[in-house]
């Protein structure tokens, strides 16, 4: 099967008041990988924060991520697909981080999130082609497996 993405990056921020181990477990559960990049940084008021990244680069990893999200999220993404792809063929959405910790996935519009960004393979690289590629991919994930 041809690849749908060049890469997908799943990222969240762990603030000083949050448990890094819990967020790492959530990220591993969501992405299917324990290969997480941890970057210690400093917030606006010198508060420590940790950036947790999962960089996915294989078809199997992409499928694991989207299947983890479930059909309701896939439907929501399909319904709003055009606004989730930019002119550089990058697909993006955000999940509510607090719900994700509980194993529930919901599209978020606020700030405390798990962000998912992926570069869609489209030849030529045009938004309308990228939109068709990702639509076909998501519909294929929804199709019953024989």
């Amino acid at each position: 099967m041809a690849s749908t993405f060049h890469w997908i990056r799943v990222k969240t921020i762990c603030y000083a008041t949050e448990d890094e181990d819990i967020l790492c477990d959530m990220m591993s559960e969501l992405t299917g990988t324990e290969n997480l990049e941890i970057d210690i940084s400093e917030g606006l008021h010198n508060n420590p924060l940790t950036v947790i990244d999962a960089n996915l680069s294989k078809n199997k990893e992409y499928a694991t991520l989207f299947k983890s999200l479930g059909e309701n999220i896939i439907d929501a993404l399909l319904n709003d697909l055009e606004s989730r792809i930019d002119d550089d063929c990058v697909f993006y959405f955000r999940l509510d981080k607090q719900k994700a910790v509980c194993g529930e996935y919901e599209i978020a519009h606020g700030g405390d999130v798990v962000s998912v960004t992926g570069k869609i393979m489209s030849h030529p690289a045009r938004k309308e082609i990228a939109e068709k590629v990702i639509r076909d991919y998501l519909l294929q994930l929804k199709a019953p497996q024989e």
Side-chain angles (χ1 to χ4, degrees):
M1 170 187 359
S3 189
T4 303
F5 296 95
H6 291 281
W7 49 262
I8 293 179
R9 181 176 184 198
V10 183
K11 174 177 119 174
T12 196
I13 295 174
C14 177
Y15 297 98
T17 58
E18 296 176 315
D19 186 324
E20 183 179 324
D21 290 336
I22 290 174
L23 289 177
C24 285
D25 289 346
M26 176 271 299
M27 290 284 286
S28 292
E29 182 73 26
L30 176 62
T31 62
T33 183
E34 296 196 14
N35 188 16
L36 303 174
E37 292 180 21
I38 309 293
D39 184 30
I40 308 298
S41 191
E42 196 171 275
L44 181 62
H45 301 288
N46 299 325
N47 294 329
L49 56 86
T50 304
V51 179
I52 305 168
D53 275 315
N55 294 301
L56 311 179
S57 60
K58 297 182 174 99
N59 286 341
K60 184 178 178 182
E61 295 171 329
Y62 309 147
T64 298
L65 169 66
F66 284 100
K67 287 178 182 177
S68 293
L69 296 173
E71 198 165 318
N72 288 340
I73 296 294
I74 291 175
D75 286 340
L77 295 173
L78 283 165
N79 290 333
D80 198 22
L81 205 52
E82 186 177 329
S83 67
R84 297 193 175 280
I85 302 170
D86 68 17
D87 291 335
D88 293 323
C89 302
V90 175
F91 175 65
Y92 57 93
F93 61 95
R94 297 178 299 169
L95 300 169
D96 182 296
K97 181 171 70 174
Q98 299 307 316
K99 289 189 177 187
V101 166
C102 297
E104 301 171 27
Y105 302 115
E106 182 178 295
I107 299 292
H109 303 287
D112 194 20
V113 299
V114 176
S115 66
V116 180
T117 309
K119 177 74 169 172
I120 301 169
M121 281 193 181
S122 78
H123 303 286
R126 291 198 323 250
K127 181 177 178 176
E128 53 275 356
I129 294 172
E131 187 177 335
K132 180 184 180 337
V133 168
I134 191 68
R135 182 178 308 282
D136 290 348
Y137 178 74
L138 294 174
L139 288 171
Q140 178 185 348
L141 289 175
K142 281 185 51 149
Q145 303 298 313
E146 296 179 9

